[in-house]
Amino acid sequence: MVDVPQLVEQARQGRPRAVARLISLVEGAAPELREVMATLAPLTGNAYVVGLTGSPGVGKSTTTSALVTAYRKTGKRVGVLAVDPSSPFSGGALLGDRVRMSEHASDPGVYIRSMATRGHLGGLAWAAPQAIRVLDAAGCDVVLVETVGVGQSEVEIASQADTSVVLLAPGMGDGIQAAKAGILEIGDVYVVNKADRDGADATARELNHMLGLGEARAPGDWRPPIVKTVAARSEGVDEVVEALEKHRAWMEEHGVLAQRRRARAAREVETIAVTALRERIGDLRGDRRLDALAERIVGGETDPYRAADELVDGLTNGG
Amino acid sequence: MVDVPQLVEQARQGRPRAVARLISLVEGAAPELREVMATLAPLTGNAYVVGLTGSPGVGKSTTTSALVTAYRKTGKRVGVLAVDPSSPFSGGALLGDRVRMSEHASDPGVYIRSMATRGHLGGLAWAAPQAIRVLDAAGCDVVLVETVGVGQSEVEIASQADTSVVLLAPGMGDGIQAAKAGILEIGDVYVVNKADRDGADATARELNHMLGLGEARAPGDWRPPIVKTVAARSEGVDEVVEALEKHRAWMEEHGVLAQRRRARAAREVETIAVTALRERIGDLRGDRRLDALAERIVGGETDPYRAADELVDGLTNGG
């Protein structure tokens, strides 16, 4: 039996193994999942959640790593959730990247967790928010969620952050790729990384045009900044942090932060509820009620819609 | 307003436009959907539903067309549901095929309907069974459901027929393809089409081996036959019909037909119920209850799991 309150206490004291254990419990849908979530609830809400997404090769992990360094300089505790099987955080990339990450691995103020695409019901949309909650409750001031912006669920996760950062790089036909993947719409801050390469200005201009940033906006509207970086040399990274802080301040001023967090919580509840309902129906296979309904359909006494109504009513009156 | 009873009456009198209209109503989830399904219910249960699946290029449509001809010779009314965007029934294939199909198009004893992959909730798994019900109620003795055996839902539809026919062709590495797609397990009858080509015997032998047909079976067990055909010249097609009739007789003798139909009905009910529950939750977006729950989560007063419980309880007590 896992002693959940003790584990949570250890996590809050900054013990990385306790944090890791808690994340494993919530992402694996362990029997303790509900107890963990209930224990964490009053401890959450402090972390600023930043989503980073972009096509493979734009330098997401390098940027994430540079951001970790920047935030650590100001004394903040940082959590990293890498939802990307090719991320060096998941051990799947170039040696140079891994070396860069390994600085953080020994820093007690940094938690790094990778999360591969999961096969079970609800998938990433279900598991990622739980892991964020653990990092939040464990005392992270900032949680960086790195997702590869190619799948629907990855884009969804990034868009559910407090602030979404969309990364591009010059010369990858990247604007079009990003537009196709639907990540252009979700950015609060845009980063053109590898800005020392040819075409960085063109990419920034193209982006500026595609986003309609030249157009007039209502006063008080957020105008997503485009920041040029060379993350591998930490150039421009302080400007990214500055842009993030500005966006955060803007959200707080306009009530957007609370609104986004409510929307995120609502999505979480929905996902969990749908999963639960689906499981309840799944449990009915071989159940006499479903068998009896099927029998009546085959006999022409009822139709699948009326049968489904009966089934749903049965479920909702105590299962 | 659609006069559903009149439409059903016309469909039963053999008016193809009435059949087409009914299928459009059920696959489009029209407001009349429930009335249509309720009206059809007592009229269903007569059609023998045969699923045909196999990789692109094995000759599914040609075989389907030849089967239509064979069944028409015995005076049976035949429905064809082509769940395959590349099927000539959907107008997407070679001219030669289309000419072959067009013979049937003018035959009042044949209904042909194509159904592309649908984007909405529940997808094909939801729409195909409804269309089969319409064809059944309209008086079809046989409904042939042609699916391209590459997607999970297509395989599922084929496996939900009374009898599943799996088609292969020589020299396509087809056995392995079929095994990968999971269609090898679902066949009640196997057809090696294009049997005038080199390698037909090898394909049949390979299949025989993969299916373990040489092994001993319990008496009374169904041993899937392997029929060689050249569907383009109608060779072997009568043998396919014979195999189908044998399988049907075997199913009736052993209570398997009723059992399969009950299982099919149960799956239908499940799919509809899950869709309905999902929609109910979807309706709650912007609802005060969900908003209030989200607010409490953000405030740390509750966690997403307890909130989901409340939501599900709320749904099941009258929505």
Side-chain angles (χ1 to χ4, degrees), chain B residues 187-200:
Chain B
D188 301 304
V189 172
Y190 291 86
V191 170
V192 177
N193 191 31
K194 306 186 180 181
D196 52 345
R197 292 199 185 166
D198 283 347

Side-chain angles (χ1 to χ4, degrees), chain A residues 102-168:
Chain A
S102 66
E103 302 163 30
H104 305 308
S106 58
D107 180 345
V110 181
Y111 298 101
I112 296 172
R113 180 74 178 204
S114 72
M115 188 171 266
T117 302
R118 306 192 72 79
H120 64 64
L121 281 168
L124 282 174
W126 175 87
Q130 326 289 347
I132 293 171
R133 277 174 185 281
V134 173
L135 293 169
D136 184 357
C140 289
D141 302 295
V142 179
V143 175
L144 304 173
V145 184
E146 180 199 334
T147 67
V148 59
V150 289
Q152 186 51 42
S153 59
E154 283 83 359
V155 171
E156 228 167 72
I157 291 163
S159 70
Q160 299 238 327
D162 294 328
T163 298
S164 291
V165 179
V166 173
L167 285 96
L168 297 94

